[in-house]
Amino acid sequence: MKIKSGFILREVASQTMVVAIGEASKGFDGIIRLNTTGKFLWKMLQKDTTVDELTSAMIAEYDVDKATAETDIKSFIETLKGADLLA
């Protein structure tokens, strides 16, 4: 899975925001603000990535156990799916 084209990260007033550009901006009505972990996962999802790859990377980057990482990643992915941001 990966982020659909037409969505980019921008830093606005020290907040990380997802911004729709081009054709994607016509169908996306909202703002998504990401915390540090969300930004980390978003960057990984710029290329085709599996949940296992995300989990391994999150464990390596943060002081988190596998079960917590998997739960948080699945929640993040569901949020992205709900906003129709995954290809």
Side-chain angles (χ1 to χ4, degrees):
M1 84 196 103
K2 68 184 251 178
I3 300 296
K4 284 184 175 180
S5 63
F7 296 93
I8 59 172
L9 289 181
R10 286 290 181 246
E11 298 293 327
V12 178
S14 68
Q15 294 285 321
T16 303
M17 312 292 272
V18 174
V19 178
I21 58 172
E23 288 295 314
S25 65
K26 295 178 184 176
F28 183 74
D29 186 28
I31 295 174
I32 296 178
R33 198 170 43 196
L34 300 176
N35 62 17
T36 304
T37 307
K39 180 180 176 181
F40 175 80
L41 294 172
W42 181 278
K43 286 182 174 184
M44 289 199 62
L45 287 164
Q46 294 298 300
K47 61 180 178 138
D48 196 23
T49 308
T50 67
V51 171
D52 288 339
E53 291 169 327
L54 293 171
T55 302
S56 294
M58 194 166 170
I59 290 169
E61 184 71 19
Y62 298 98
D63 183 22
V64 63
D65 61 87
K66 184 176 180 179
T68 301
E70 287 175 341
T71 299
D72 291 349
I73 289 165
K74 287 176 183 176
S75 176
F76 184 70
I77 289 169
E78 288 305 311
T79 299
L80 295 178
K81 285 180 180 178
D84 197 28
L85 297 177
L86 292 178

